[in-house]
């Protein structure tokens, strides 16, 4: 039987577990919550009796995620984590230190089944979905890790931009968002959370109605269906026009602007004609475009364009009235891009 992941339980669920499964007083739930928020293991919950801890260890785990390896950039303070899950699967994450606080990039699946041509996370397909406790567990484990050096640090912003397609693991991701926002739990404002999707249109409409004020990032990467289909299989399922319409709906329902991610790929989507077409598509939409010179992936024959081409693309978009910036690269020396570290480790095993 799978052990209960305590971090994945919300307030009423934890109380129910304590009262009905452990036959303990509900006060124990409050004690346990404080430990869970600090990323503690069951053995560290020293205000519970040794007998209770032993019983708990038999049926539950506090955090199903642990940092197995970490790599710190020498260029900036970006730190990359390789996490181990209870079943031996590996996922990765990265924490970036900005002046407005630490931002953690979390994974939502082991692998991914979306098949984007430029992405390392999808090369072996989707292994499985992560549970809410495993998504929150990354935050707890990262907090713990960074606080060993500096107790004042803590994850302040979260981007769901690690491995996996969040909207392909919808229920777990929505539960995670409610847990991480819970004032009794991590109490992270959903305004500090971004969810990135390759554009699963029906789920985007569902998500707009959840009442969760997160920032939506849309991985567009192309100005038209023809180019998009060449690099993103999901474009065969949903037309770009319908993806943009779903974004417009998100803006209307939530009042929040949408961020478009656009990885610039040499000879694929980076000439100024593409910038013109993109600007036409996005005209009138409350949005911002994040341009990302492609992180070269060894396994794929796709590369970033030159700096001049990136600058020309940015300039043209801006001239056409579209708010855009080029994303600063962080952690270039530690395999910062998604899926790269996990692949490297797996291929060495
Ligand atoms: N599945 C989600 C989130 C995970 S990927 C999504 O598609 O949005 C997070 C972002 O990194 C996405 O915009 C993705 O397209 C981008 N990405 C993946 N591989 C990349 C690479 N080699 N270079 C630049 N961006 C990449």
């Amino acid at each position: 039987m799978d052990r209960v992941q305590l971090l994945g339980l919300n307030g009423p669920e934890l109380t129910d577990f304590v009262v009905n499964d452990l036959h303990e007083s509900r006060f124990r739930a409050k004690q346990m919550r404080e430990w869970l928020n600090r990323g503690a293991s069951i053995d560290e919950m020293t205000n519970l009796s040794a007998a209770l801890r032993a019983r708990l260890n038999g049926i539950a785990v506090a955090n199903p995620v642990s940092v197995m390896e970490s790599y710190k950039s020498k260029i900036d303070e970006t730190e990359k984590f390789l996490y181990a899950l209870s079943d031996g699967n590996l996922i990765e994450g990265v924490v970036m230190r900005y002046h407005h606080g630490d931002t953690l990039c979390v994974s939502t699946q082991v692998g991914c089944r979306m098949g984007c041509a430029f992405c390392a996370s999808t090369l072996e397909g989707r292994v499985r979905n992560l549970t809410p406790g495993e998504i929150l567990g990354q935050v707890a484990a990262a907090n713990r890790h960074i606080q060993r050096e500096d107790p004042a640090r803590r994850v302040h912003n979260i981007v769901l931009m690690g491995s996996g397609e969040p909207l392909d693991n919808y229920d777990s991701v929505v539960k995670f968002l409610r847990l991480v926002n819970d004032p009794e739990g991590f109490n992270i404002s959903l305004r500090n959370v971004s969810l990135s999707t390759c554009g699963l249109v029906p789920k985007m409409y569902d998500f707009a109605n959840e009442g969760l004020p997160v920032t939506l990032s849309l991985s567009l990467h192309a100005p038209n269906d023809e180019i998009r289909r060449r690099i993103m299989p999901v474009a065969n399922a949903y037309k770009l026009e319908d993806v943009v319409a779903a974004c417009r709906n998100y803006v209307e329902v939530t009042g929040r602007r949408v961020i478009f991610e656009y990885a610039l790929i040499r000879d694929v989507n980076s000439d100024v004609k593409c910038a013109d077409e993109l600007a036409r598509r996005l005209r009138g939409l409350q949005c911002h475009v994040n341009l990302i010179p492609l992180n070269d992936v060894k396994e794929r024959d796709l590369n970033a364009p030159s700096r001049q081409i990136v600058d020309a693309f940015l300039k043209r978009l801006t001239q056409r009235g579209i708010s855009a910036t080029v994303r600063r690269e962080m952690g270039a020396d530690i395999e910062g891009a998604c899926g790269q570290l996990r692949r490297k480790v797996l291929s060495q095993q």
Side-chain angles (χ1 to χ4, degrees):
M1 198 193 76
D2 283 348
R3 289 193 292 170
V4 177
Q5 300 172 351
L6 299 178
L7 263 183
L9 303 180
N10 61 29
E13 288 166 344
L14 185 62
T15 304
D16 180 68
F17 173 76
V18 165
V19 173
N20 296 315
D21 294 329
L22 295 176
H23 308 293
E24 290 282 330
S25 90
R26 56 182 52 229
F27 173 67
R28 298 276 172 235
K30 194 169 150 29
Q31 291 178 312
M32 282 158 68
R33 176 66 70 198
E34 280 168 21
W35 288 110
L36 292 171
N37 289 343
R38 283 193 255 158
S41 66
I42 290 170
D43 288 331
E44 288 167 319
M45 301 182 177
T46 46
N47 53 1
L48 307 181
S49 72
L52 177 56
R53 276 180 274 144
R55 208 143 55 83
L56 260 177
N57 271 321
I59 55 171
V61 58
N63 185 354
V65 179
S66 58
V67 173
M68 193 171 94
E69 288 175 26
S70 63
Y71 307 83
K72 200 164 194 171
S73 169
K74 294 186 176 62
I75 304 171
D76 44 57
E77 282 185 272
T78 300
E79 191 163 4
K80 183 115 197 181
F81 303 122
L82 192 68
Y83 305 101
L85 306 178
S86 315
D87 64 358
N89 270 304
L90 303 177
I91 52 171
E92 55 190 285
V94 57
V95 66
M96 292 154 285
R97 204 166 186 179
Y98 293 108
H99 56 272
H100 54 270
D102 286 304
T103 296
L104 184 70
C105 178
V106 308
S107 295
T108 55
Q109 298 177 318
V110 182
C112 182
R113 59 172 174 172
M114 295 297 130
C116 298
F118 43 82
C119 183
S121 298
T122 200
L123 287 165
E124 271 116 33
R126 180 184 66 174
V127 178
R128 69 171 175 86
N129 280 331
L130 296 184
T131 63
E134 286 170 335
I135 307 175
L136 191 64
Q138 297 167 57
V139 183
N143 261 339
R144 210 158 197 228
H145 185 90
I146 60 180
Q147 283 166 0
R148 282 206 297 236
E149 264 174 41
D150 178 355
R153 275 181 81 181
R154 76 181 178 89
V155 172
H156 193 257
N157 308 289
I158 295 175
V159 294
L160 289 107
M161 292 188 187
S163 294
E165 167 50 48
L167 297 185
D168 186 36
N169 184 15
Y170 189 91
D171 293 342
S172 292
V173 165
V174 166
K175 185 167 184 200
F176 156 75
L177 292 170
R178 298 215 157 95
L179 285 170
V180 82
N181 180 233
D182 185 348
E184 311 271 285
F186 285 74
N187 197 19
I188 293 179
S189 165
L190 292 181
R191 296 184 182 276
N192 299 344
V193 178
S194 292
L195 180 146
S196 182
T197 177
C198 63
L200 303 183
V201 170
K203 298 285 185 198
M204 290 170 68
Y205 283 96
D206 293 345
F207 190 65
N209 292 327
E210 294 286 352
L212 300 167
V214 311
T215 300
L216 187 71
S217 281
L218 196 292
S219 298
L220 201 61
H221 303 323
N224 59 48
D225 284 314
E226 195 221 312
I227 297 178
R228 201 161 190 257
R229 285 191 196 114
R230 270 161 52 198
I231 50 178
M232 299 178 74
V234 70
N236 294 305
Y238 306 109
K239 288 204 302 257
L240 207 150
E241 194 185 322
D242 297 336
V243 172
V244 174
C247 290
R248 186 164 284 121
N249 174 69
Y250 194 84
V251 172
E252 280 161 12
V253 173
T254 65
R256 303 181 60 74
R257 73 173 183 174
V258 168
I259 310 289
F260 288 100
E261 308 285 331
Y262 195 104
L264 288 163
I265 311 172
R266 189 198 297 161
D267 299 332
V268 175
N269 64 0
S270 55
D271 66 15
V272 287
K273 274 212 230 101
C274 287
D276 287 337
E277 200 177 350
L278 182 62
R280 272 200 305 279
R281 288 273 186 190
L282 303 184
R283 187 166 298 149
L285 183 61
Q286 236 191 87
C287 67
H288 179 82
V289 176
N290 247 334
L291 298 172
I292 313 145
L294 190 81
N295 278 304
D296 298 351
V297 178
K298 233 185 23 247
E299 293 82 353
R300 308 285 197 184
D301 194 21
L302 297 170
N303 303 97
S306 67
R307 184 74 222 186
Q308 288 90 309
I309 288 185
V310 172
D311 289 343
F313 197 98
L314 173 67
K315 188 163 165 219
R316 185 63 73 92
L317 267 189
T318 311
Q319 281 169 345
R320 295 275 186 267
I322 303 292
S323 155
T325 42
V326 175
R327 190 194 280 166
R328 186 156 62 101
E329 187 181 21
M330 298 187 76
D333 54 335
I334 52 164
E335 316 270 350
C338 38
Q340 293 185 354
L341 176 63
R342 170 169 170 269
R343 277 193 62 73
K344 193 164 129 185
V345 172
L346 286 179
S347 67
Q348 285 163 359
Q349 276 178 357

